[in-house]
Structures are given as structure tokens and as C-alpha cells.
Amino acid sequence: MRLSRYFLPILKETPKEAEIVSHRLMLRAGMIRQQAAGLYSFLPLGKRVLDKVCAIIREEQNRSGAIELLMPTIQSADLWRESGRYDAYGKEMLRIQDRHERELLFGPTNEEMVTEIFRSYVRSYKDLPLNLYHIQWKFRDEVRPRFGVMRSREFLMKDAYSFDIDFERSKTAYDRMFVAYLRTFSRLGLQAIPMRADTGPIGGNLSHEFIILASTGESEVFCHKDYLSLDVPGEDVDFDDAASLAAIVDTWTTPYAATDEMHDEAAWGAVPESDKLAARGIEVGHIFHFGTKYSEPMNAFVTGPDGKDVPVQMGSYGIGPSRLLAAIIEASHDEAGIIWPKSVAPFDVGLINMKPGDADCDAACERLYRDLGATGLDVLYDDQDTRAGAKFASMDLIGLPVQVIVGPRGAKAGEAEIKIRATGERETISLDAVTARVSA
Ligand code: ATP
Ligand code: MG
């Protein structure tokens, strides 16, 4: 992509309304635009990152055996009356009337709708296990939308829903998602710690929030330092092997970890002082087993091996891709701007032409742009006639992992400079070597 033809509205001023670094950087880097309180457009650079985050989430959901569908954002109030949540949900739910005065709502979540789909088609335990997910916009009329896309009113969610014949199998479904989440966050360049979460009136201990440690996080968290060095399951993890999934979950739930709501002073007291990590955190995912909470009132029954009909056991599993953009930036930035992990960077390489119009510079850059692109890399080529200082500042701000800088002297000598954004390391190499180096 040539910058001269792209839409990258970089702000020079630091926007006053932004209280936390990710919000500031997302506005300055031209990733998002606020349209009204808690409502954001994702500008082209932001959209690229959002797509990459979703692609990783999708790959790991699919790997674990979950199946993607797409449900609408607008739902009928009657469906929510079946579960009793229409009245219970309160002011966070945006209620809408259509021209026939039918009551609708903008979905804050999809348990009811997916249960309706399930009960319409599935009758037998032989069709289980089943896990259906989608990545769809949600609306919650948050009391205090803030911090940009970190807590917005309209936000993207990946929500998965598992269906099983009995508790034991639904625990395995839970473990599958737990393991898929560990892999997902790790691939996003994040260290996410699963923390026991409140299950509310349903009880049990099958609910975990996945939390990223960050000083600007909204939750207060307490965990054992061991979490920082636990191994994340590899690509070869067998999602059909219930015992090994359970073992992974055990390993990841044994050291102490809790948010302030679930904090247990006695258990915390037993953690050696030097292993204690009391910090702030951002919730990026939440998994929840709720058994028959929806299947019973909504009549989602299946016939078991013994011929008896039972309400299906369910769980739901959420990740917030739009919040993740902000969380990744909170975890990875410096004074100059964002430092994208390679896996989600909007472009792989930033190519800077220091002197557009200079024949050597233009020729070298055109060649690099072509060659780098031919290896499958996404290149953002700054071909604009602007000051070198501004070019460097913008490229640092948007945080692409690698920069290739071509100036008139270097171009004449057949050289370019490579800069690694994360470390600031710079090296001058011959133009011929750039493509191999960058794509390595
Ligand atoms: P929170 O406690 O932060 O309000 P929640 O418990 O209401 O979150 P869930 O209902 O479990 O969240 O939603 C699943 C995921 O969706 C969350 O882990 C988070 O990543 C994302 N999410 C929830 N609310 C918002 C929001 N207002 N803005 C952006 N992302 C959100
Ligand atoms: Mg909430």
C-alpha cells in the first residue's frame, strides 16, 4: 500500500479526551474515530488489526472443534422472555420497536438465540458435542463507556456456546475452550492469566476470566508469579483427549489467581511473599459453564443413550476482539507509539522513502516495494513528500514491526537501513539483501 493513496489520518496533537495510552495511541495513529459516546468507526489501519485478531481467534476456535455461524445483531424480545432475561437485563439492553410495534433489542449476548437454533434441530445425544460460535457486534448501554474501544457500547465479540449431554462432557467442552483461549492470547502476543470468576446464582467453580496485566486495567487482581512462566499448549494439542485437556487446565488453575471479587485472603496469605503479584488487569475473555440455565426454561432437550430426555448442558465463551486491540497496545508500546506483535501488525513492513523525487531513492524503493510484496509481505510504502522527522515519527507511532529506510546517499551506494521497531536496533545492509532479511 502506498501511503499517498492510503487513508491514514494521523493526529499530531494528543487528544485531550483520551485518559489511557491505548486510547491516545489509537486516535493518534488514525485507527478509530468516535461517532458518539461508546460508538467507534474502525478506520482502515484499525480495521486491519481487528481482522488479524479475528483471524487468529477463528483459527483457534476452529482448531478446537467449534463451528462458526452468524446470528443477527437484532433479536426479538419474545425470545428473551422465554428465558426470563428480557425484564432482568435492565438498562444495559437497548430496546427497539419496529414499524409494526414489535419489540426488538440489539443483542448484548446470544444465549437465547443459539438455544433456539439448537432446539429446532438437535434431538439426540448422537449429535453432540456441539459448539457453535460467531463473531458479531454487540450493544450494551454501559453506564460509563470509556477508554475508547476498551469499554465501548457497541463492540465486537466472539461468543461460543457449547452443548453436551451431561456435566462431565460439558466440563470437557469447557476445558477445550480454556485451552483454545490460552493458545489464542499467546498468539496475540499476550500473557493472559485465567482467574476464577464469580458464577453468580448458578454456583460451581466453572468460570474463568482471562486477564492481561496492565497498570490501566479496571480490575484489581492477585496472582502467583508462576503464571508468568507456564508453558502454553502447542499446536499439536489433542482436542479430543479429555484427560490431557483436563491436565492442562489443572496446571493453569492450580497457582493462586483471582480478581478482587473472588479474592480469598486466606489462600493469598499462603502464597510466599516473593511470589505474590498484586496488579491491575484487563479482562479480555470470559468462559462460563451454566448447565441448564437456558435449556430448561427454553425446552432444549435431547434424548440420551437410555432413551430419556434431558435438558442439554451448556456453556458460553466470550472474547472481545475490539477490546483486545486496546489491550495489546496497553501491553506493548513505548513513548514513540505502538509496538505491534508480528501476528497482528496492520502491515508487516514500513518502507520509508526519505526523498521522493530523487531518482536513486525512487528506483530503490520501487524495487523493494515490489520484491517485498512478492514474498507475501504486506508493505506500507511511505512515498510522500514530507519531512524525514515526520516520516520517522509516524512510522514509529503506527508500530509496524520492521522499517526499511532508504535515503539518497544509501540508495546511491546500493544500501538501505533496517530498523526493528521493538528494540530500536538499526543496521545498514545492501539493497539486494533486504528482502531476504525482512522475510526471514
Ligand atoms: P466487563 O466486566 O469488562 O464489563 P463482562 O463480564 O460484561 O465484561 P462478558 O459478558 O463476559 O463481559 O463479555 C465477553 C467479553 O467481551 C469480555 O471478556 C470483553 O473482552 C468483551 N467486552 C465486554 N464488554 C465490553 C465492552 N463494553 N467493550 C468492549 N469489550 C467488551
Ligand atoms: Mg460488562
Side-chain angles (χ1 to χ4, degrees), residues 21 42-43 160 172-173 256 317 407:
V21 66
F42 284 79
L43 302 179
T172 300
Y256 187 81
Y317 314 89

Side-chain angles (χ1 to χ4, degrees), residues 136-204:
Q136 177 63 293
W137 295 95
K138 305 289 187 284
F139 189 94
R140 293 181 187 173
D141 204 352
E142 301 271 357
V143 199
R144 264 189 87 196
R146 57 182 185 157
F147 303 155
V149 294
M150 187 76 90
R151 181 169 299 283
S152 48
R153 295 197 296 168
E154 189 180 61
F155 59 96
L156 199 53
M157 198 199 287
K158 182 289 298 177
D159 38 326
Y161 303 89
S162 66
F163 302 89
D164 289 275
I165 188 70
D166 55 27
F167 175 79
E168 195 191 333
R169 288 180 177 83
S170 69
K171 164 68 166 73
T172 300
Y174 185 89
D175 292 350
R176 262 187 214 111
M177 277 295 125
F178 189 110
V179 171
Y181 275 36
L182 291 177
R183 286 193 42 76
T184 302
F185 295 123
S186 159
R187 287 187 60 193
L188 295 172
L190 294 169
Q191 207 155 33
I193 302 174
M195 304 202 179
R196 272 190 57 198
D198 199 358
T199 47
I202 314 294

Side-chain angles (χ1 to χ4, degrees), residues 199-330:
T199 47
I202 314 294
N205 58 9
L206 277 187
S207 178
H208 287 89
E209 290 178 350
F210 286 75
I211 306 263
I212 305 296
L213 302 182
S215 56
T216 48
E218 290 183 284
S219 336
E220 206 182 342
V221 301
F222 305 86
C223 67
H224 196 290
K225 277 215 173 89
D226 277 359
Y227 277 106
L228 304 179
S229 52
L230 286 181
D231 281 336
V232 172
E235 242 178 57
D236 55 349
V237 57
D238 182 356
F239 282 97
D240 291 324
D241 180 350
S244 75
L245 294 172
I248 297 170
V249 173
D250 267 356
T251 306
W252 278 86
T253 50
T254 301
Y256 187 81
T259 61
D260 51 357
E261 288 151 29
M262 293 293 287
H263 191 44
D264 171 355
E265 284 296 346
W268 183 237
V271 178
E273 214 50 50
S274 58
D275 289 335
K276 282 182 177 170
L277 203 59
R280 301 202 65 84
I282 301 167
E283 179 199 320
V284 287
H286 193 169
I287 60 177
F288 198 81
H289 172 84
F290 48 73
T292 59
K293 180 176 178 189
Y294 300 94
S295 56
E296 237 171 66
M298 293 186 67
N299 268 314
F301 281 62
V302 275
T303 312
D306 55 3
K308 283 203 190 105
D309 284 354
V310 291
V312 72
Q313 292 276 333
M314 291 175 64
S316 70
Y317 314 89
I319 293 186
S322 49
R323 175 179 290 181
L324 270 167
L325 264 56
I328 292 169
I329 296 173
E330 289 294 330

Side-chain angles (χ1 to χ4, degrees), residues 14 44 68 99 102 162 197 210 217 238 250 305 330 335 366 368-369 388 412 428:
T14 297
E68 186 170 11
R99 61 163 72 191
R102 276 189 210 110
S162 66
F210 286 75
D238 182 356
D250 267 356
E330 289 294 330
E335 301 79 60
E366 289 298 329
L368 289 174
Y369 183 54
K412 205 171 213 82
T428 300

